[in-house]
């Protein structure tokens, strides 16, 4: 990975993606986003990895977008290089084939919370704070905080954070559905590992298909998910073997609907 800003490693059926910029509380800049995208590609391609954990090194999970990285950009570069590229990387995480768990051992604010929201589940330590503080510095959530977060948690909860400036502790975030489990200080990774190992015991193909179907229902993705499910089904049939075989032999296929 680029300067080891983000690493990917495997531990049995678990894949672990770790943000490694602790001196900046794992704030995201363009090199970090590129490294994260590469790590997610590696996770998706890893044989035997059935659940992916997303962690942050040091005291913070992710402080969001690095203000120094985007504040000097032109309006055009901010829109394309920052917002649109960040969306692409976060969408990559949300659409990873494996179930994902964000391990919140430190605060998740702004883009950091948007990153956690892109995961399927969130485990937060009791002291962790979560919120969308962007409007306090004159910007708006730009990496799906007003879109994916609303779909997953409801508009009113997001209003309280993005408009009202509320920052929730993990316990209140749990009651609002923003996090799924609360762990004692220092225990989020162990809790997420144990949960991930239980998830990994379930049928991997069934889990991937269920994740895709939920994504369709949620509006996360429709065209790609529908075609992936249909194509996966077709790939298991005799028709594809007959058709491809006939194509290679330059013959007319004899389909059996088997």
């Amino acid at each position: 990975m680029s300067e080891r800003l983000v690493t990917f490693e495997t531990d049995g059926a678990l894949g672990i993606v770790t943000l490694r910029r602790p001196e900046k509380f794992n704030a995201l800049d363009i090199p970090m986003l590129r490294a994260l995208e590469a790590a997610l590609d590696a996770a998706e391609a890893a044989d035997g990895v059935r659940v992916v954990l997303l962690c942050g090194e040091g005291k913070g999970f992710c402080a969001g977008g690095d203000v120094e990285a985007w504040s000097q950009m032109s309006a055009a570069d901010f829109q394309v290089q920052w917002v649109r590229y960040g969306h692409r990387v976060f969408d990559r995480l949300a659409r990873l084939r494996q179930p994902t768990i964000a391990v919140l051992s430190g605060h998740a604010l702004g883009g950091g919370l948007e990153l956690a929201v892109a995961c399927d589940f969130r485990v937060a330590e009791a002291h962790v704070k979560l919120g969308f503080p962007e409007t306090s510095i004159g910007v708006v959530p730009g990496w799906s905080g007003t879109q994916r977060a609303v779909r997953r948690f409801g508009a009113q909860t997001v209003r309280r954070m993005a408009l009202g400036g509320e920052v929730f502790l993990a316990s209140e975030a749990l009651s609002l559905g923003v996090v799924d489990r609360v762990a004692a200080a220092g225990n989020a990774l162990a809790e997420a590992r144990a949960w991930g190992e239980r998830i990994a015991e379930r049928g991997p193909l069934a889990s991937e298909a269920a994740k895709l179907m939920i994504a369709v229902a949620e509006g996360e993705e429709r065209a790609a998910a529908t075609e992936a499910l249909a194509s996966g089904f077709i790939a298991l049939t005799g028709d594809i073997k007959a058709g491809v075989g006939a194509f290679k032999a330059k013959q007319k296929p004899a389909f059996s609907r088997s």
Side-chain angles (χ1 to χ4, degrees):
M1 306 306 165
S2 175
E3 299 180 1
R4 293 185 61 81
L5 290 172
V6 181
T7 58
F8 171 70
E9 57 188 325
T10 60
D11 181 8
L14 302 181
I16 303 172
V17 174
T18 305
L19 309 178
R20 297 193 181 278
R21 201 185 179 202
E23 72 282 1
K24 286 278 193 174
F25 296 98
N26 301 312
L28 299 170
D29 57 11
I30 296 298
M32 281 279 283
L33 288 170
R34 289 179 180 145
L36 176 57
E37 187 174 31
L40 295 174
D41 287 344
E44 180 123 288
D47 290 338
V49 170
R50 298 186 176 181
V51 178
V52 175
L53 310 185
L54 178 61
C55 310
E57 183 180 15
K59 296 181 179 180
F61 168 69
C62 178
D66 188 339
V67 176
E68 293 179 4
W70 59 259
S71 59
Q72 301 303 314
M73 288 183 175
S74 68
D77 286 346
F78 181 68
Q79 178 188 17
V80 176
Q81 295 183 22
W82 188 256
V83 176
R84 289 180 65 86
Y85 181 56
H87 258 279
R88 189 178 94 183
V89 177
F90 283 33
D91 288 349
R92 182 74 180 92
L93 172 60
R95 296 169 187 177
L96 209 64
R97 65 177 175 85
Q98 302 100 329
T100 53
I101 304 175
V103 183
L104 308 182
S105 54
H107 303 326
L109 299 167
L113 178 54
E114 290 171 309
L115 186 64
V117 171
C119 292
D120 296 303
F121 307 107
R122 285 151 294 283
V123 176
E125 294 182 6
H127 67 279
V128 163
K129 296 178 180 180
L130 306 97
F132 289 131
E134 287 91 340
T135 55
S136 68
I137 59 170
V139 294
V140 296
W143 287 336
S144 73
T146 63
Q147 305 300 309
R148 181 176 292 119
V150 168
R151 292 196 301 269
R152 297 195 169 180
F153 312 133
Q156 197 60 25
T157 293
V158 175
R159 281 191 185 98
R160 289 176 63 183
M161 292 188 285
L163 300 181
E166 292 187 55
V167 175
F168 300 131
L169 276 172
S171 58
E172 189 169 8
L174 178 66
S175 69
L176 293 169
V178 177
V179 301
D180 300 285
R181 298 190 178 188
V182 176
N187 288 349
L189 181 55
E191 175 76 17
R193 279 180 179 272
W195 192 9
E197 287 169 357
R198 290 193 294 275
I199 294 171
E201 293 174 354
R202 309 179 75 82
L205 292 177
S207 294
E208 290 176 25
K211 178 171 176 172
L212 272 173
M213 290 190 293
I214 293 167
V216 171
E218 191 180 39
E220 179 64 54
E221 56 177 328
R222 295 190 184 278
T226 301
E227 291 179 357
L229 288 167
S231 297
F233 166 73
I234 291 298
L236 297 174
T237 68
D239 278 0
I240 192 172
K241 296 176 183 178
V244 172
F247 175 82
K248 291 180 177 179
K250 298 182 179 180
Q251 298 174 349
K252 184 176 181 180
F255 294 122
S256 61
R257 200 172 179 270
S258 63

